[in-house]
Each structure stands twice: as C-alpha cells, then as structure tokens.
Amino acid sequence: AGLVLTRASIRAMSACSESIKCGDIRGNPGIRLKHASGASAEILTHGAHVVSWAPGSGAAPALFLSEKAKLGPGESVRGGIPVCFPQFGPRGPLPQHGFCRRSDDWVVSAADVLPNGDARAVFSLVDTPAT
C-alpha cells in the first residue's frame, strides 16, 4: 500500500496532510514536507530534486538555489540537492551527472508521517527506455 503521485496527479492535489503538502512548488509539481519543529523541505518530482530546506520555523532556507535556476522538463536545476546517477560530472558516456537529474520519470511512491513526527516522502524512478 502506498501513495503514488505522478507529475500529472500531483499537480491536481493541494494537500496530502498537514505535514505533507502536494502540488505546485515554484511552478512545478512537487511535495513540501514540514516537521512539527517547523523544519521544512521542498522536493520537485522533476529529478527528485530538493530545492529548499529550512531548519526551523522562520529560519532562512539553508540551501542555495540560483535565481537563474531553470526548473522543468529537460532542465537541470542549479542549486539544491540533486540526484546524480549513475555518474557524477562528465565522467562517463551519459549526460553530465547522469540521466536521473533531468528525468520526469520520478513518482512519489510513499509519503507519510512517522510515529516520531518526522514527515517523509519516498521517490522512485520509473523504469522506462530513458532510464
């Protein structure tokens, strides 16, 4: 059992729960997690890329995200925390940092709040010819 959110279905949702918000993140489908302490994170389904993390209520974001960051299909987000796989940089035959970073083939396969209050989202890369 689990929650499966695709790029299309997540756009139509405004909230999954108080700690887990699904929908528009900086103009793209994604998920926002919030802990009872006020710590929060925003993750895009595009590349399963963490674009924001703040350590508590009212705290400034602790991750750099360039104002020039291009978010969306075919783009590599500049800043945040990317998924670089199966290679890092130009050290192989694939595009720089591998295919996962630019992929729209990610789904949120689970999103829940743990007994200790932590909110989590599990992203899975769908098996396609591109992946």
Side-chain angles (χ1 to χ4, degrees):
L3 174 69
V4 177
L5 300 173
T6 63
R7 183 173 178 80
S9 67
I10 204 168
R11 277 198 188 277
M13 301 177 80
S14 59
C16 299
S17 77
E18 190 63 32
S19 298
I20 302 168
K21 304 285 184 189
C22 306
D24 186 71
I25 304 289
R26 301 175 192 234
N28 290 272
I31 194 163
R32 183 173 196 269
L33 305 176
K34 187 171 183 181
H35 189 269
S37 68
S40 63
E42 295 177 333
I43 307 119
L44 302 178
T45 55
H46 175 73
H49 199 113
V50 179
V51 293
S52 177
W53 175 74
S57 288
L63 297 177
F64 170 79
L65 185 66
S66 173
E67 292 177 7
K68 297 179 181 178
K70 296 178 181 175
L71 309 176
E75 299 291 347
S76 295
V77 178
R78 185 176 176 194
I81 304 172
V83 175
C84 297
F85 181 81
Q87 70 186 43
F88 183 79
R91 298 181 182 156
L94 300 172
Q96 184 158 315
H97 302 311
F99 56 82
C100 292
R101 187 174 179 206
R102 294 182 179 176
S103 178
D104 284 319
D105 296 317
W106 291 92
V107 296
V108 179
S109 53
D112 55 0
V113 180
L114 303 176
N116 67 357
D118 290 351
R120 73 172 172 183
V122 178
F123 285 76
S124 301
L125 188 60
V126 176
D127 187 15
T128 69
T131 60

